[in-house]
Amino acid sequence: MRLSELINGDLIRHDPRTAALLASGALERDVSGLTADSRQVQPGYLFAALSGSSLDGRKFIGDAVRRGAVAVLAEDGTDAGEDTVAVIADDNPRRRLALMAARFYGEQPGTVAAITGTSGKTSTAEFTRRIWAALGEKSASLGTLGITTDDGTDGPGLTTPDPVQLHAALSNLADRGIDHLAMEASSHGLDQFRLDGVKVGIAAFLNLSHEHLDYHKDMASYLKAKAGLFERVLQADGTVILNADSPESAEIAAIATKRGLRTIRFGTAPDADLRLIRREPTATGQHLTIAFADQERTVELPLIGAFQAMNALAASAIVIASGVDAAKVFDCLPALAGVRGRLELAVRHPNGAPIFVDYAHKAEALETVLTAVRPHVTGALHLVFGCGGDRDTGKRPIMGRTAADLADHVYVTDDNPRTEAPAKIRAEIMAACPGATEIGDRATAISTAIKALQPGDALIIAGKGHETYQIVGTETRPFDDRDAARAVVSTLLGEVR
């Protein structure tokens, strides 16, 4: 693609050097790729010299030029040091890169739903994909678990990939004939303009709770970042999906009203458009009585917990917004299965006690999971968890108190300590959970907890969910909570025999 086509006549400001190149016809050269990593630059690439919290991309312009970059996207006033390189100056180069990536890769699935919220994004996106698939649509979900289609899951899991990677993935999906996509929209990705250029026709807001304040600093900034999906990214004829039970939805609703967007509200509130009227837990799931417009239905949802019911409701609202009749959506709910690492039944103890693995790594999510499992437990509720290092430290005592209040037996262990001292992290949790058992080694903690289970008990191993690694220092070690639990149970089964 020619550089002039990539810019596409937008009203951008050029430094004098770029203006001179424009006059000389240099902007008509071909651009063969885009990247914000100078190490990935190949001849003919455009290099985006972005500034971050730890690195200034402008320092790598020289390296990018030596590798063959023909253009540099950067902040106003940037000097590339080479007269032969076109400098595209912009006061928001991050957003500009996203828009350029959208033009460079071109095609996207025709129906794109973006889902934001502190909790539930992964499950809601995957439930949405599965409902669409059950209705015969070629669909995908994109986010923490990777890119999932009917053929399986590919690629690394990123809640919101960088814009070049994201638009390359969207183009690939479209080329494969996939016309429906449900994707996670993280606050980081929205704040850094990674989703700009995505043709989002449906945008969902699930909830907001204490998380990522090491990045956003306060809850108001956190909500503002998420609001960008509805203010800036969602198309003018799009539909907003709102959790009627979340107080923060009022701010998103105001944005929808100002923009004249259609809104579908889901939840238990009496005025919700898609309303959960009644929920009755069963041994393996729950009966839901739900209503939309003049249609009311009681369905069996084979998932445990009120939060799973809300995720299924959010997914239903998204699919309804895409033009599907509510009755057809309700027909699909009994076939939904749990998502990997989200209250996943990893294995059962030989005495029948279930052992769940869940990604809950913040207080509200931990509370949600413990509360969800409790009605299904006739004995004691056991919990293994820890907190990650080099992340929001304020949640550690909160999670400790949550564990102490809602679980009967708590084992505090290491999560991903990263470069923090693991014992320090555990101590900050233990201070609020003094009755817990502290076992630093995660495999040992899991083994100890499983061996303590009695008939009627249940165990939740929280914090890592789908992850297959543990980060200790700067080393990433293979570790999977599910495999660790299954290995212990396998040994116990051998002893029983």
Side-chain angles (χ1 to χ4, degrees):
M1 176 178 288
R2 291 181 180 178
L3 184 55
S4 58
E5 294 172 325
L6 198 61
I7 297 171
N8 199 30
D10 282 348
L11 295 175
I12 65 173
R13 288 174 286 154
H14 304 278
D15 66 10
R17 179 171 304 170
T18 306
L21 287 170
L22 178 62
S24 68
L27 290 183
E28 294 308 301
R29 65 187 64 180
D30 287 333
V31 174
S32 58
L34 313 173
T35 184
D37 185 341
S38 66
R39 297 168 297 182
Q40 297 179 3
V41 170
Q42 298 180 32
Y45 268 43
L46 177 144
F47 171 62
L50 306 179
S51 298
S53 58
S54 57
L55 293 175
D56 185 346
R58 291 171 296 185
K59 294 180 179 179
F60 302 97
I61 290 176
D63 180 52
V65 172
R66 285 190 293 274
R67 293 173 184 267
V70 297
V72 171
L73 170 66
E75 296 176 6
D76 292 326
T78 299
D79 185 355
E82 291 284 344
D83 289 339
T84 58
V85 177
V87 178
I88 310 302
D90 197 277
D91 57 2
N92 189 345
R94 287 186 178 277
R95 184 169 188 269
R96 179 63 54 192
L97 175 62
L99 297 177
M100 285 182 167
R103 290 196 193 95
F104 186 84
Y105 287 101
E107 294 299 316
Q108 301 180 21
T111 299
V112 178
I115 301 148
T116 195
T118 305
S119 302
K121 295 187 294 297
T122 301
S123 292
T124 300
E126 179 57 9
F127 290 165
T128 301
R129 183 197 72 81
R130 292 178 186 178
I131 295 172
W132 273 331
L135 294 168
E137 302 290 355
K138 294 196 69 174
S139 57
S141 64
L142 184 156
T144 306
L145 299 181
I147 298 175
T148 302
T149 65
D150 284 343
D151 297 326
T153 299
D154 301 316
L158 296 170
T159 309
T160 307
D162 77 74
V164 177
Q165 183 182 5
L166 173 59
H167 284 284
L170 296 182
S171 178
N172 178 263
L173 290 172
D175 287 345
R176 292 162 57 187
I178 292 172
D179 196 52
H180 286 66
L181 171 69
M183 64 179 294
E184 299 179 46
S186 71
S187 58
H188 291 70
L190 290 164
D191 187 60
Q192 296 170 12
F193 303 94
R194 293 183 221 158
L195 276 83
D196 287 66
V198 179
K199 297 175 182 177
V200 175
I202 304 167
F205 176 79
L206 305 182
N207 47 58
L208 193 80
S209 59
H210 189 284
E211 176 71 336
H212 301 309
L213 298 191
D214 53 333
Y215 178 90
H216 295 290
K217 306 307 179 186
D218 55 53
M219 294 297 288
S221 299
Y222 185 23
L223 179 58
K224 182 179 179 181
K226 290 190 175 297
L229 174 61
F230 307 90
E231 289 179 318
R232 189 182 72 245
V233 180
L234 180 62
Q235 296 184 99
D237 59 350
T239 300
V240 175
I241 309 298
L242 290 177
N243 181 351
D245 300 340
S246 172
E248 291 79 14
S249 287
E251 185 163 332
I252 308 301
I255 295 170
T257 299
K258 183 177 180 180
R259 293 191 61 196
L261 300 169
R262 177 193 180 200
T263 301
I264 297 177
R265 300 169 73 248
F266 70 92
T268 63
D271 59 345
D273 302 295
L274 178 58
R275 184 184 172 204
L276 176 59
I277 299 172
R278 187 165 47 256
R279 187 180 68 85
E280 301 173 0
T282 66
T284 58
Q286 49 197 317
H287 292 301
L288 305 182
T289 301
I290 50 183
F292 181 80
D294 58 348
Q295 302 183 55
E296 181 175 318
R297 180 85 67 82
T298 296
V299 299
E300 171 68 21
L301 184 69
L303 303 167
I304 289 175
F307 76 100
Q308 294 281 47
M310 290 296 282
N311 291 339
L313 216 62
S316 298
I318 291 169
V319 178
I320 290 170
S322 73
V324 178
D325 182 74
K328 293 182 179 179
V329 176
F330 297 161
D331 288 341
C332 298
L333 298 183
L336 287 181
V339 175
R340 181 161 54 97
R342 271 63 180 174
L343 203 54
E344 177 183 357
L345 179 60
V347 68
R348 287 185 181 272
H349 190 284
N351 63 25
I355 300 165
F356 298 99
V357 170
D358 192 83
Y359 191 50
H361 56 280
K362 46 191 171 284
E364 290 81 357
L366 188 62
E367 178 181 354
T368 296
V369 168
L370 290 167
T371 303
V373 175
R374 175 64 76 178
H376 303 269
V377 179
T378 58
L381 182 55
H382 301 244
L383 171 68
V384 173
F385 86 107
C387 289
D390 302 333
R391 296 293 187 271
D392 185 2
T393 60
K395 68 181 182 181
R396 295 171 189 173
I398 302 174
M399 291 185 72
R401 285 193 296 273
T402 300
D405 291 343
L406 298 177
D408 299 308
H409 302 287
V410 179
Y411 301 84
V412 174
T413 189
D414 293 340
D415 189 284
N416 292 320
R418 299 184 177 85
T419 63
E420 276 196 74
K424 174 180 175 290
I425 299 173
R426 296 195 305 270
E428 292 176 2
I429 301 170
M430 291 291 295
C433 192
T437 300
E438 181 180 355
I439 304 175
D441 182 75
R442 194 171 181 91
T444 302
I446 290 171
S447 176
T448 303
I450 290 175
K451 290 175 181 178
L453 292 174
Q454 299 297 313
D457 291 356
L459 168 63
I460 299 171
I461 305 170
K464 295 180 61 59
H466 63 281
E467 294 178 351
T468 57
Y469 58 84
Q470 187 175 29
I471 305 173
V472 181
T474 57
E475 180 185 0
T476 300
R477 305 173 181 175
F479 191 90
D480 189 319
D481 284 347
R482 297 164 299 179
D483 290 345
R486 290 164 185 162
V488 176
V489 170
S490 179
T491 300
L492 293 176
L493 285 169
E495 293 173 357
V496 170
R497 295 192 187 97

